[in-house]
Amino acid sequence: MWKIFALLALSVNICVSSPVVRTQREFSTYRLPNTTVPTHYNLYLDTDVHLGVFEYTGNVKISIRVLEDIKQIVLHSVRNEIQRIQLFTNQLPVPVQGFEFDVDKEFLIVNTNVWLHAGESYVLDIDFTNSLERNDQAGFYLSSYVNDAGETKFLGVTQFESCDARSSFPCYDEPGLKTTYDVRIACGLEYTAKSNAPAAGIQILSNGKKLTTFQRSPRMQTYLVAFLVSDFANEREVSKEPHQVAVSTLARPTARHALTYSVDASVKFLREMEKYFDQSYAMTKIDNVAVANNDFAAGAMENWGLVTYRESTILFDPEIHGEATQLSVVGIVGHEYTHQFFGNLLAPKWWSYLWLNEGFARFYQYYVSEFSHPELNMRERFAGVRTTALNTDASATVRPMTHYVETTAEISRLFDNIAYAKSASVLRMFNYALTEKTFQKGIRYYVQQNKDNGVVEEQDLFNSLQQAAAEDVRLPLSLTMNEVFSSWSNQAGAPAVTVTRVGTTNEYLFSQERFFNTPQDNPSTQSWWIPISFTSSSNAEYETRVAFWMPPGVSEVSYRIDGDQVLINPQATGYYRVNYDPEMWASIIRDLHENPNTIHKLSRSQLIDDSMQLAHAGKLDYDTAFKVMDYLREEVEYVPWETAAYNLDYLHRMLRSDKKASESLENYVADLAKKLLSTYGLEPVKGESANAEEARLFGLKWACKKDERCRAKTNEKINRMRKRSTLEINSKSEQLLMCHQLRYINQLDIVTMVDSLRMTRDDRSRGYLIDALSCVEDKSSINYVLNSLRLKDFKANEKLQVIQNIFQNSVEGFDIIMELLNTSTNIVEDLNVNRRAFHEILENLAEFATDTESAAQVMAIVEREAPVISADVRTKLSENRSWIERNSAAVIEALHKYL
């Protein structure tokens, strides 16, 4: 139903400046009617952010083409105060009767006095005003930093994905509508304006400002349009071969020393990406922009030619950061630069196909970086992505990759582990199933065959992969990529493959079923085309290649495998779990304990995750799962430990309401992780690998609580803090060490830590301090920290970081946060935090509610504060309760065997 702002019609019909009431049609969908489409935007913005004035004025001239006879133009606009609307054809004015807003659908409806006929072209000319002041970190909004003189400097930056371009200027805000943009921005003389395309010229204005005119952009969708108005410093490198591209990183002037690595990493990744996909980047420049963590809700955004990041993800200070930070920078640059092809050059026809953006970006940030930064061994790091995906996909209410929604709230929720982790894992599976050479060829076809149109859906990908697979004979003749791939993209969930050896023969029986983390009342009939790979003591030919395709709808498949020590899906290239018969599990466990290095680290990672998740689901006994886990006593590799940590965190979450069981788990894990501490020590080592640096963190997290060396090292730091009345934490290692001892510090120490936070400006260091500060466990200390949130010392995102850390770190903290949320009538407004980010906090809170009372309280808070997520939260709470009832006693019993 329309909600219409009403008002006064002008007597002159050539232009209008006030909305009028007129109902020509009711809109039954949140999609634009697309009776008109944009063919070009000419956008002008006049800003005064350099003066501390946050309102801006603008004008947008949208060239449109009419697709059917109409007397109404429908586009998007929200937050924009419309000052005037005019319509022209061939530079002649067309009578405009008035305009209206459908507030629910965020439509701006322009009504005309004459018919506009199909095939005709017009220019819609709109003057508007708006403001940078908003607390949702979306649209064209305000950010700031404090300079060396202690002055607050303001800037304007954008975040339009998914549906916030419309909140900054009137536009056709749908992903399948691509066109070009001419942008002009006026700003202060000491500031610089940036947009997607390079600057074409700068004009000095008479009012102490300048006007920057930008070159015409490539054809792109509205959510990629971007602006930056700031006094940021920048570092720039011009890469000249095979064609010239200027690569820059911009940041607050106080961070200019931390820009070099990101520029170098960007140039390397961009060039390798162009080679890998045989496609040149479309523009002559690409800028990276570092935005203060607490002013940027997204991790990064792939705006074409003007990519934005949280500071902590893009800045690298060689004096204090190691290879793990380099890995983080390369990963996020790789993700956003991959989007320049997948998402920007090739845009999704609708949000249903978001995975064609995010899946490719997540996959290739790991796989192309193997060529740009081979020293980082990024491909093996994909194990964590796959673990996340499979565990998300085990829920009964999870969505498929291709999934249709319409409302802005629904669209926002598509940016989830299915769009990123699952889609990337499925793409990776086909990369191996077809072989990387054939898959790469198919992706090159996909780019070349669709870049001119620039808008894609999944069938376009299937067609290109089919062409490559047919040429290289990578699929059985009876199969097509559409049939095989759609079995993964169009149904929810993932399979578990059960393998049973027939007696002592070389015959193995394979069956499949959908894997659920919670047993279902009605068995699923879903099935997939599954690429089966394997190794044995005498056959490594199919380690990453397909031995056979397991078809859907078949109860069992028989296959002969010669040799012993059989592993299915080695290196975890397939997106499925594997369960074995008891004798096969016993053989695998024996090899894990006696000869772990004969099993690839990715396989070791998979075995940890599969065995524990199968046990949670009632498909395997916990004794077997803990026998697998117990081999970690001798494991020092990062990748298996990353997967183990995911599973151990889950167990800790489920058991922590039972104090005795929780202590048993902590003692067990501390014993498992002892070798990590003895191997990697307590402190970072200059020049060490990212794997060593991050493996140490697992040792510090799990083993330090029982280690005297940790206590001694932390007490040194606490005593130094007491003498100096200030605290600096410059690494995650220091933060974890501090966490274990914070239960023993006094109130004055907490005050010192909060005071230190006030003096710390670097986002990474602030993050470490906040993580340490929120490790406190006694009620008075927690309440002091929470009361501090109402001061200006904590930024919006930091407040949510503190709240999340406190309820994650202890049962006492969870109870205090529940009390806070129960007594606050509107926590979002009370703390002035981002609503979308707060919804994510509530979803995470549900992960920790394991008893009936806390589950009911969480549900009540969610229904009051965030009803849009209530269905997902209710499912999670039900899964938690089911796990406790089915598994807690069995886990406790199994634990006692290994203490």
Side-chain angles (χ1 to χ4, degrees):
M1 173 178 182
W2 277 1
K3 299 176 184 176
I4 299 175
F5 292 130
L7 311 107
L8 181 64
L10 295 185
S11 58
V12 178
N13 290 330
I14 299 301
C15 70
V16 293
S17 58
S18 299
V20 299
V21 179
R22 182 177 178 84
T23 305
Q24 287 198 3
R25 71 169 75 177
E26 291 196 7
F27 300 99
S28 60
T29 172
Y30 285 82
R31 301 282 296 270
L32 290 173
N34 288 333
T35 50
T36 62
V37 293
T39 58
H40 180 67
Y41 287 82
N42 193 313
L43 178 62
Y44 166 74
L45 301 174
D46 188 2
T47 69
D48 289 300
V49 68
H50 62 292
L51 299 175
V53 176
F54 307 136
E55 291 72 30
Y56 65 92
T57 60
N59 170 267
V60 63
K61 294 178 176 66
I62 311 175
S63 300
I64 61 174
R65 186 173 68 252
V66 181
L67 301 185
E68 64 180 71
D69 294 353
I70 52 163
K71 294 181 72 176
Q72 189 178 69
I73 300 169
V74 184
L75 63 161
H76 288 108
S77 182
V78 63
R79 286 181 55 93
N80 302 294
E81 295 289 336
I82 306 299
Q83 303 301 309
R84 185 188 63 166
I85 293 181
Q86 299 179 89
L87 186 66
F88 298 91
T89 182
N90 298 320
Q91 299 184 334
L92 298 174
V94 177
V96 176
Q97 188 176 44
F99 64 90
E100 319 163 66
F101 291 100
D102 183 331
V103 176
D104 179 47
K105 296 178 175 62
E106 300 183 345
F107 289 169
L108 166 62
I109 305 108
V110 180
N111 300 308
T112 63
N113 282 334
V114 298
W115 283 97
L116 312 180
H117 297 289
E120 295 177 343
S121 296
Y122 294 84
V123 174
L124 185 61
D125 188 332
I126 306 174
D127 291 333
F128 62 95
T129 61
N130 206 321
S131 175
L132 302 175
E133 279 196 289
R134 49 195 296 178
N135 64 4
D136 58 355
Q137 297 173 359
F140 188 25
Y141 69 98
L142 189 68
S143 180
S144 65
Y145 70 92
V146 177
N147 66 14
D148 284 334
E151 302 166 326
T152 298
K153 304 289 284 185
F154 296 103
L155 57 133
V157 68
T158 53
Q159 172 58 38
F160 288 167
E161 192 177 35
S162 52
C163 302
D164 281 299
R166 67 189 70 173
S167 70
S168 300
F169 64 98
C171 59
Y172 290 75
D173 201 11
E174 290 191 351
L177 298 174
K178 297 183 73 173
T179 191
T180 51
Y181 295 78
D182 288 336
V183 177
R184 296 175 300 139
I185 300 176
C187 66
L189 288 173
E190 68 275 26
Y191 271 47
T192 300
K194 292 280 186 179
S195 189
N196 305 86
I202 297 175
Q203 176 187 354
I204 304 301
L205 304 177
S206 59
N207 57 354
K209 295 166 70 173
K210 61 186 177 185
L211 177 67
T212 303
T213 301
F214 298 92
Q215 296 175 20
R216 182 161 294 185
S217 76
R219 288 175 60 244
M220 61 187 186
Q221 56 273 42
T222 46
Y223 75 74
L224 293 176
V225 177
F227 330 121
L228 173 71
V229 179
S230 74
D231 66 345
F232 275 2
N234 80 89
E235 184 164 326
R236 181 170 179 261
E237 179 179 336
V238 178
S239 176
K240 295 184 177 180
E241 297 296 336
H243 61 98
Q244 184 164 304
V245 180
V247 179
S248 301
T249 298
L250 299 91
R252 54 185 164 83
T254 49
R256 67 171 70 245
H257 63 287
L259 307 182
T260 302
Y261 185 78
S262 63
V263 175
D264 179 71
S266 298
V267 170
K268 287 179 178 176
F269 192 94
L270 178 65
R271 291 316 193 189
E272 290 298 335
M273 181 178 75
E274 290 180 316
K275 284 194 290 187
Y276 194 86
F277 299 116
D278 194 25
Q279 173 63 41
S280 295
Y281 173 67
M283 285 195 284
T284 59
K285 72 95 173 173
I286 186 166
D287 299 320
N288 304 312
V289 180
V291 182
N293 280 18
N294 294 287
D295 293 337
F296 198 54
M301 177 60 208
E302 66 267 20
N303 313 303
W304 208 337
L306 189 66
V307 185
T308 45
Y309 308 81
R310 285 188 179 187
E311 274 195 0
S312 60
T313 65
I314 193 71
L315 300 183
F316 176 82
D317 184 344
E319 292 299 314
I320 59 174
H321 298 143
E323 189 179 90
T325 304
Q326 291 178 339
L327 189 146
S328 173
V329 171
V330 170
I332 201 153
V333 166
H335 186 98
E336 305 312 323
Y337 278 34
T338 302
H339 271 311
Q340 305 302 305
F341 292 167
F342 303 98
N344 298 10
L345 186 65
L346 305 181
K349 187 175 183 179
W350 182 247
W351 296 109
S352 312
Y353 306 110
L354 177 64
W355 68 268
L356 292 174
N357 292 14
E358 300 302 346
F360 275 113
R362 178 66 87 234
F363 172 47
Y364 281 122
Q365 75 180 74
Y366 290 91
Y367 271 60
V368 171
S369 59
E370 184 78 6
F371 303 103
S372 66
H373 296 81
E375 72 279 5
L376 297 179
N377 298 309
M378 290 280 281
R379 289 194 175 191
E380 68 181 34
R381 291 284 181 126
F382 195 89
V385 178
R386 183 180 177 277
T387 298
T388 298
L390 283 170
N391 284 289
T392 299
D393 231 2
S395 174
T397 58
V398 73
R399 68 175 181 86
M401 288 161 58
T402 299
H403 181 63
Y404 185 79
V405 297
E406 283 195 0
T407 69
T408 56
E410 291 170 336
I411 291 166
S412 178
R413 290 180 60 72
L414 288 179
F415 290 78
D416 60 8
N417 284 334
I418 300 302
Y420 290 79
K422 177 182 181 175
S423 303
S425 298
V426 170
L427 289 168
R428 175 177 175 267
M429 175 173 66
F430 282 101
N431 177 77
Y432 286 104
L434 299 180
T435 73
E436 183 166 358
K437 182 179 179 181
T438 299
F439 189 77
Q440 180 186 26
K441 179 198 285 190
I443 299 306
R444 287 179 171 184
Y445 286 158
Y446 175 58
V447 173
Q448 296 305 318
Q449 292 164 358
N450 295 286
K451 66 180 182 180
D452 291 337
N453 177 43
V455 177
V456 292
E457 51 191 334
E458 65 177 5
Q459 191 61 52
D460 298 309
L461 174 63
F462 301 164
N463 292 343
S464 298
L465 290 175
Q466 175 64 34
Q467 180 181 345
E471 289 173 357
D472 294 355
V473 197
R474 295 301 184 190
L475 278 179
L477 294 178
S478 59
L479 290 183
T480 66
M481 281 307 303
N482 179 72
E483 184 181 10
V484 173
F485 205 124
S486 62
S487 76
W488 297 90
S489 64
N490 286 299
Q491 60 179 339
V497 172
T498 298
V499 186
T500 305
R501 187 173 186 177
V502 180
T504 58
T505 72
N506 291 335
E507 182 185 1
Y508 292 81
L509 301 179
F510 294 77
S511 61
Q512 63 164 295
E513 62 178 336
R514 179 174 172 182
F515 179 80
F516 293 101
N517 55 17
T518 302
Q520 302 297 296
D521 294 333
N522 299 311
S524 171
T525 59
Q526 288 177 251
S527 54
W528 292 257
W529 281 103
I530 304 176
I532 301 296
S533 57
F534 69 87
T535 58
S536 73
S537 57
S538 62
N539 189 344
E541 180 182 358
Y542 298 108
E543 185 171 13
T544 59
R545 291 176 54 209
V546 178
F548 67 93
W549 287 91
M550 188 175 182
V554 175
S555 60
E556 205 167 61
V557 174
S558 174
Y559 192 83
R560 179 185 175 89
I561 302 176
D562 294 326
D564 297 319
Q565 297 172 309
V566 173
L567 267 183
I568 306 303
N569 196 24
Q571 297 195 38
T573 55
Y575 183 65
Y576 54 91
R577 297 198 181 281
V578 181
N579 198 2
Y580 300 91
D581 66 35
E583 289 75 16
M584 292 183 74
W585 271 119
S587 175
I588 290 167
I589 290 167
R590 186 164 53 251
D591 286 340
L592 269 177
H593 285 264
E594 296 175 2
N595 303 293
N597 290 328
T598 63
I599 300 175
H600 194 282
K601 68 180 72 172
L602 293 176
S603 294
R604 304 200 300 269
S605 166
Q606 179 190 15
L607 288 165
I608 292 167
D609 194 49
D610 281 355
S611 61
M612 191 58 70
Q613 295 301 320
L614 287 163
H616 294 333
K619 302 291 184 181
L620 186 69
D621 61 277
Y622 274 110
D623 189 49
T624 298
F626 276 100
K627 283 178 181 175
V628 172
M629 186 75 74
D630 207 53
Y631 101 91
L632 287 167
R633 295 176 191 274
E634 299 301 318
E635 178 66 86
V636 294
E637 286 278 1
Y638 167 78
V639 171
W641 263 105
E642 180 193 31
T643 304
Y646 183 98
N647 284 275
L648 293 168
D649 278 334
Y650 179 80
L651 284 173
H652 186 262
R653 199 158 66 235
M654 290 294 102
L655 295 178
R656 71 178 191 165
S657 293
D658 182 331
K659 189 173 182 180
K660 187 175 180 181
S662 182
E663 287 178 355
S664 295
L665 178 64
E666 287 183 4
N667 290 335
Y668 169 68
V669 178
D671 205 37
L672 280 187
K674 278 197 302 188
K675 191 166 183 177
L676 290 176
L677 275 188
S678 62
T679 301
Y680 297 112
L682 304 183
E683 296 180 290
V685 177
K686 190 77 171 176
E688 69 182 343
S689 70
N691 282 354
E693 187 176 346
E694 296 187 358
R696 174 185 300 105
L697 299 182
F698 295 132
L700 293 172
K701 177 179 179 178
W702 295 111
C704 251
K705 197 172 283 189
K706 308 294 182 182
D707 191 280
E708 286 298 328
R709 294 170 301 159
C710 293
R711 291 195 186 98
K713 177 61 69 174
T714 307
N715 285 334
E716 285 178 21
K717 194 162 186 70
I718 291 172
N719 290 333
R720 197 178 309 124
M721 174 185 72
R722 288 168 177 165
K723 289 179 182 177
R724 299 177 179 177
S725 298
T726 187
L727 175 66
E728 288 184 12
I729 300 180
N730 293 316
S731 70
K732 187 67 177 175
S733 295
E734 286 185 67
Q735 180 260 309
L736 287 171
L737 280 167
M738 285 293 293
C739 252
H740 291 302
Q741 291 299 103
L742 283 182
R743 69 184 70 184
Y744 305 116
I745 66 176
N746 58 46
Q747 191 76 33
L748 185 59
D749 294 329
I750 302 295
V751 173
T752 300
M753 293 178 72
V754 172
D755 288 342
S756 299
L757 185 66
R758 293 190 182 104
M759 306 300 295
T760 303
R761 293 174 187 165
D762 176 73
D763 275 340
R764 269 202 187 90
S765 297
R766 286 182 67 87
Y768 295 143
L769 260 173
I770 288 168
D771 284 344
L773 190 59
S774 44
C775 285
V776 294
E777 293 185 9
D778 69 279
K779 188 170 184 177
S780 62
S781 296
I782 291 174
N783 282 327
Y784 180 85
V785 173
L786 290 175
N787 287 333
S788 300
L789 298 185
R790 303 180 190 280
L791 305 176
K792 292 183 179 180
D793 303 307
F794 288 88
K795 300 174 184 177
N797 289 0
E798 291 176 340
K799 295 174 184 178
L800 295 179
Q801 181 184 350
V802 169
I803 289 171
Q804 177 165 285
N805 287 349
I806 286 175
F807 73 67
Q808 287 181 345
N809 285 339
S810 67
V811 174
E812 294 79 6
F814 180 90
D815 292 339
I816 291 170
I817 295 301
M818 291 299 297
E819 184 180 345
L820 170 71
L821 296 176
N822 278 320
T823 56
S824 174
T825 55
N826 192 332
I827 194 74
V828 172
E829 292 184 6
D830 190 27
L831 292 179
N832 192 30
V833 295
N834 182 290
R835 186 171 298 277
R836 296 177 194 177
F838 180 62
H839 289 183
E840 292 177 9
I841 293 291
L842 292 180
E843 288 184 283
N844 191 241
L845 182 70
E847 301 272 355
F848 290 79
T850 55
D851 61 82
T852 304
E853 182 180 354
S854 62
Q857 290 179 347
V858 168
M859 201 66 238
I861 293 166
V862 167
E863 288 176 342
R864 184 187 76 223
E865 298 280 351
V868 68
I869 65 172
S870 59
D872 288 345
V873 168
R874 188 175 289 108
T875 297
K876 171 46 62 181
L877 294 171
S878 174
E879 290 172 349
N880 287 354
R881 195 70 209 139
S882 173
W883 190 95
I884 295 294
E885 292 170 355
R886 292 181 295 107
N887 295 329
S888 59
V891 169
I892 293 168
E893 181 181 353
L895 268 175
H896 288 158
K897 295 180 181 180
Y898 294 93
L899 285 174

